[in-house]
Amino acid sequence: MARRSPVREDHVSVAPDGDARDRAEAGQGRIKRSPGYVEEVFEVIRADIMSLAIPPDTRISIDDLARRLGVSQTPIREALSMLEAIGLVTKRHFAGYCSAPQLNRRQLDQLYEARLLIEPFAARRAAEQMDDTAMAELVALADAMTPGESRQSYDKFADQDSELHDLIAAGSGNPIIRETLSRLHSHLHIFRLRFHSEVTTEAVNEHADLIAALTSRDPDAAEKAMREHIQRSYARVVPFAGE
Ligand SMILES: [Zn+2]
């Protein structure tokens, strides 16, 4: 169920209008808001979109959200534009903000094609040159990932999975590869398609193979494990994609 508690506004110094941040950024402003405040609004709306409490392809009313969360329209607008930047929200003429539609089959295929080009190569490179500190971080993250039974833990798993794939992309040592992968926002789209614990159990086992190959510094095995993980992930979600 979506969280319905009002977002705390007590750590906001002043939020008089939507231009405050622009002025502050331009160096003319006297007003500073806690950056965590818009982030909190963003997280609540993001969770509602990910859990389908806000269904796909549905108009999002700024008034309703402001009322429900007990905040002004300004942070809602800022959060919505952040959500637009990551592809969960679209802005339409005359209709305002809408939740993004679920991926259709063709878009899902394209997303996985791109992942299959980028990520196995990134894993190969990471096996060769990821430093030991980053490798330890990766191992700790993989150990902390547990299959989600509830939606909340599933959300957490989606975030951790995104981070794990990002760490490997970063470990490739090629910032263009990392940036390209992050722009796909693949985890948001994939995890929104399906909520199920069995998905995460299988992924945990595949990650174990991947981490074993990376920590033994075996580029061939790392590339293969990543390719298999992505192919299996595709097989798990494709039945849930739209037409
Ligand atoms: Zn994964």
Side-chain angles (χ1 to χ4, degrees):
M1 214 33 220
R3 280 171 278 169
R4 291 286 180 268
S5 58
V7 172
R8 285 173 295 119
E9 210 158 0
D10 52 4
H11 53 145
V12 181
S13 320
V14 192
D17 60 53
D19 297 321
R21 193 182 63 166
D22 294 343
R23 285 203 310 272
E25 279 173 1
Q28 310 151 2
R30 301 167 302 277
I31 298 142
K32 273 212 161 95
R33 277 182 289 160
S34 155
Y37 169 61
V38 171
E39 187 68 22
E40 208 179 324
V41 174
F42 165 85
E43 287 297 340
V44 171
I45 305 173
R46 190 187 91 129
D48 281 357
I49 293 174
M50 291 297 288
S51 69
L52 313 183
I54 296 175
D57 211 9
T58 301
R59 188 173 171 273
I60 296 174
S61 160
I62 291 173
D63 281 347
D64 287 354
L65 275 176
R67 244 192 317 275
R68 179 155 74 77
L69 302 180
V71 298
S72 68
Q73 292 195 355
T74 303
I76 303 280
R77 287 183 192 282
E78 285 186 38
L80 287 172
S81 85
M82 286 158 70
L83 288 159
E84 187 185 14
I86 60 169
L88 282 181
V89 154
T90 57
K91 200 174 184 183
R92 295 186 194 156
H93 280 302
F94 309 113
Y97 286 104
C98 298
S99 55
Q102 292 276 38
L103 291 187
N104 62 34
R105 174 64 187 268
R106 185 154 174 269
Q107 290 168 318
L108 187 76
D109 287 356
Q110 290 168 343
L111 179 63
Y112 273 91
E113 274 171 17
R115 291 189 71 188
L116 276 173
L117 278 173
I118 301 164
E119 295 199 63
F121 178 77
R124 159 173 287 279
R125 279 292 170 83
E128 290 165 346
Q129 60 180 19
M130 194 170 193
D131 67 46
D132 290 340
T133 312
M135 191 70 88
E137 197 185 335
L138 183 64
V139 169
L141 176 64
D143 285 347
M145 289 176 76
T146 48
E149 295 287 324
S150 68
R151 276 205 168 148
Q152 205 177 6
S153 58
Y154 189 90
D155 277 355
K156 190 174 164 208
F157 188 90
D159 286 343
Q160 289 171 321
D161 192 39
S162 173
E163 196 184 337
L164 182 140
H165 286 262
D166 177 62
L167 277 176
I168 295 170
S172 76
N174 183 333
I176 299 172
I177 285 181
R178 185 187 190 184
E179 175 67 16
T180 305
L181 184 66
S182 103
R183 277 165 188 260
L184 298 177
H185 301 296
S186 42
H187 290 81
L188 292 177
H189 296 299
I190 292 161
F191 280 81
R192 195 157 70 119
L193 281 178
R194 191 184 182 197
F195 287 95
H196 205 288
S197 60
E198 136 201 339
V199 169
T200 50
T201 309
E202 290 168 16
V204 164
N205 295 334
E206 291 157 22
H207 286 167
D209 292 345
L210 179 59
I211 301 294
L214 287 166
T215 51
S216 57
R217 302 281 181 188
D218 183 337
D220 290 337
E223 181 177 332
K224 180 168 174 281
M226 181 65 94
R227 180 172 297 112
E228 286 178 1
H229 174 44
I230 295 172
Q231 285 168 337
R232 287 180 188 156
S233 164
Y234 175 76
R236 286 191 288 267
V237 297
V238 74
F240 300 90
E243 288 301 305

